[in-house]
Amino acid sequence: MKYFSLNRKAPDVSFREAVVRGLAPDRGLYFPNSIQPLPESFFNDMENRSDSQIAFAVIEQFVSDDIPKDVLRRIVEEVLTFEFPLVQVEPDVYSLELFHGPTLAFKDVGARFMARCLGYFNSMKSTSENVTVLVATSGDTGGAVANGFYEVEGVEVVILYPSGKVSDIQEKQLTTLGKNISALEVEGSFDDCQAMVKKAFLDKDFEGKVNLTSANSINVARWLPQMFYYFSAYKRLQQLGKPIVFSVPSGNFGNICAGMMAQKMGLPVAHFVTGTNANDVVPNYLRTGSFDTKDTIPTISNAMDVAAPSNFIRIEELYDHDIDKLRANLSGYSYTDDQTRSTMRYLYDTFGYIADPHGAIGYSALKDHMADSGFDGVGVFLETAHPVKFLDVIPKEIVPRIVLPDSIENIVHKTKVAHKISSYTELKDSLLGR
Ligand SMILES: *Cc1c(COP(=O)(O)O)cnc(C)c1O
């Protein structure tokens, strides 16, 4: 299996090359040139398979021969060392909790998988040149990438984050690991960080000196493993014998697109719903048919503050760039911060369930879709972050009920190590001086 560029002006590549490059030379996203449905026997027998057996069967075709099967099996086992609880919130409504990984973000699975793939590819190289993963973060991505790549041989990780604009816990997750992980604290906004990273990828001065690669969700090794979540929920719900709808709080639309890939592989999903905050370009597009990007609006669900969702082009490819085909499979809703806060209160007061702002949006979108369509089946919303990461925006009366996980207890006492920079030149000097 090969990957082609969605800009269609670059050669097809193997999984390995797609992972190492991140983006195609024509700046397009890579997309698999075939998606083979899994056999019926796989679905009939799912109950008897472990998480890692399911994940291996799901990802295998996309890796092809670039990683030997026994190595891939081991990688998948090392990635999935935590739980993905499916919590019933009310009759026929479940929360799929994806935040029990080391950095309490659903991005842990993709980051850990990508890190191990890159580590394997490095170990196979005759030369021992390092790869430098350069990543800009508004909060969640940096922690997941730092943790996923920690102590991976031959990989240096450099994380840029905007000074004073990530939560205390998120900052600790980025700045306390040490070893092959370094943090650069940028005097500026997240957009400034991202602009510096983009500039570095195009800068010819690094050629032959530093091998830069990216670890954001455009990378196929971060995006595709997320298919597993949907299979894992299905395994536990299939005995109910009811149709299933997934509702996904979305920013760059990588996670929901992975669900749509799972459906292409034969997973019985009746419909997808996306929930967004005020950055609502996709729900608007579904309603009006025109894709109008605005400036990014800051919200309390800040991991979804994305004005131009990078993975949406992959979703369009899956539906042949036909909006009616897309509408038949996807509904979208958007919510204000006030609505999000009142959903968090409602969930807590009515069901005793504590949702983070992103999960709350997933829940609202699910309920609105069920009401609007009269859907009579099971609804699953994806809970993408632990509420402890958003203490400053969760209604005050709920905060004391949130239990601090061990991984956070251990980190709050550690000392932050970050190097402050304020210009691209300083970033460049720092990278070339390694
Ligand atoms: C990244 C993130 C999202 C959005 O996921 P996409 O794949 O970019 O749509 C939602 N919630 C949380 C907590 C996140 O960190």
Side-chain angles (χ1 to χ4, degrees):
M1 210 220 59
K2 294 274 190 196
Y3 290 81
F4 67 96
S5 162
L6 288 174
N7 281 352
R8 295 178 162 80
K9 292 194 184 80
D12 290 2
V13 297
S14 66
F15 173 72
R16 177 192 168 131
E17 205 174 331
V19 175
V20 173
R21 282 182 174 279
L23 210 57
D26 63 358
R27 315 304 291 161
L29 271 67
Y30 282 117
F31 196 83
N33 67 4
S34 76
I35 302 166
Q36 295 302 321
L38 291 166
E40 209 168 313
S41 57
F42 169 81
F43 293 99
N44 295 336
D45 186 37
M46 256 176 117
E47 268 165 321
N48 302 319
R49 291 172 193 254
S50 68
D51 280 359
S52 54
Q53 285 170 331
I54 291 172
F56 174 81
V58 168
I59 201 76
E60 190 185 1
Q61 64 174 287
F62 300 99
V63 176
S64 319
D65 298 329
D66 285 14
I67 299 178
K69 303 294 173 203
D70 56 324
V71 177
L72 183 61
R73 239 182 227 107
R74 201 195 65 228
I75 288 178
V76 168
E77 279 167 15
E78 284 175 12
V79 168
L80 300 177
T81 51
F82 44 92
E83 302 289 314
F84 305 86
L86 191 62
V87 179
Q88 185 164 21
V89 173
E90 59 180 293
D92 291 330
V93 173
Y94 293 80
S95 169
L96 179 61
E97 295 187 345
L98 304 178
F99 57 74
H100 295 270
T103 75
L104 314 177
F106 86 91
K107 295 183 171 76
D108 279 329
V109 166
R112 283 154 71 87
F113 183 78
M114 181 184 162
R116 282 161 180 78
C117 291
L118 214 51
Y120 171 77
F121 295 145
N122 271 344
S123 71
M124 289 295 108
K125 275 201 313 227
S126 47
T127 57
S128 60
E129 47 186 50
N130 281 5
V131 174
T132 301
V133 171
L134 187 62
V135 61
T137 185
S138 58
D140 262 6
T141 300
V145 168
N147 200 286
F149 283 82
Y150 184 57
E151 294 191 316
V152 172
E153 287 286 320
V155 183
E156 289 283 329
V157 177
V158 179
I159 299 165
L160 278 71
Y161 72 97
S163 182
K165 297 195 179 68
V166 302
S167 78
D168 287 351
I169 286 172
Q170 288 174 331
E171 184 169 43
K172 292 273 176 167
Q173 288 178 330
L174 302 176
T175 58
T176 58
L177 285 169
K179 297 209 172 153
N180 62 328
I181 314 293
S182 1
L184 297 178
E185 182 175 359
V186 177
E187 313 262 17
S189 66
F190 169 64
D191 288 317
D192 296 329
C193 299
Q194 203 156 36
M196 286 191 198
V197 168
K198 283 199 178 136
K199 199 164 171 181
F201 284 123
L202 298 173
D203 193 333
K204 301 258 184 269
D205 291 351
F206 292 119
E207 268 170 29
K209 294 187 184 120
V210 186
N211 292 314
L212 289 179
T213 189
S214 89
N216 61 24
S217 68
I218 55 166
N219 196 301
V220 296
R222 256 200 66 197
W223 166 54
L224 289 171
Q226 299 169 351
M227 292 185 293
F228 161 74
Y229 302 144
Y230 302 85
F231 285 92
S232 150
Y234 178 77
K235 166 183 159 177
R236 288 170 282 174
L237 293 171
Q238 75 184 141
Q239 82 263 18
L240 300 177
K242 293 182 178 178
I244 301 176
V245 161
F246 284 102
S247 173
V248 188
S250 300
N252 268 319
F253 283 74
N255 198 3
I256 194 167
C257 185
M260 292 169 163
M261 295 285 292
Q263 188 189 37
K264 280 267 169 191
M265 291 170 76
L267 189 74
V269 180
H271 197 74
F272 287 95
V273 185
T274 180
T276 72
N277 55 32
N279 297 284
D280 58 357
V281 56
V282 173
N284 255 338
Y285 173 64
L286 292 168
R287 202 175 58 246
T288 66
S290 69
F291 200 85
D292 302 316
T293 51
K294 321 177 262 201
D295 285 342
T296 311
I297 302 166
T299 74
I300 61 168
S301 48
N302 62 11
M304 310 198 297
D305 292 351
V306 179
S310 48
N311 283 289
F312 196 69
I313 180 83
R314 285 180 167 142
I315 293 181
E316 296 212 282
E317 182 69 23
L318 274 171
Y319 296 98
D320 307 322
H321 297 263
D322 177 339
I323 190 167
D324 292 320
K325 279 193 196 170
L326 179 60
R327 280 173 173 149
N329 201 53
L330 174 69
S331 303
Y333 297 87
S334 67
Y335 301 92
T336 64
D337 282 353
D338 278 344
Q339 288 173 318
T340 306
R341 276 187 279 258
S342 80
T343 304
M344 288 191 276
R345 283 201 186 92
Y346 171 79
L347 279 170
Y348 182 68
D349 293 345
T350 319
F351 309 111
Y353 189 75
I354 303 178
D356 94 296
H358 306 81
I361 286 178
Y363 172 82
S364 295
L366 177 63
K367 293 292 283 191
D368 282 341
H369 168 73
M370 286 172 117
D372 288 353
S373 65
F375 175 73
D376 186 23
V378 187
V380 178
F381 66 98
L382 275 52
E383 233 308 5
T384 46
H386 195 297
V388 78
K389 295 179 97 173
F390 297 94
L391 292 181
D392 48 339
V393 296
I394 289 181
K396 283 195 180 48
E397 66 274 21
I398 302 176
V399 169
R401 320 299 306 177
I402 300 174
V403 181
L404 217 61
D406 293 346
S407 60
I408 296 300
E409 292 263 29
N410 296 337
I411 217 172
V412 285
H413 306 295
K414 292 200 177 152
T415 315
K416 159 186 162 183
V417 180
H419 179 64
K420 277 210 177 181
I421 64 165
S422 53
S423 68
Y424 178 69
T425 319
E426 285 176 274
L427 170 66
K428 199 163 160 176
D429 290 347
S430 160
L431 291 172
L432 289 169
R434 259 149 226 280

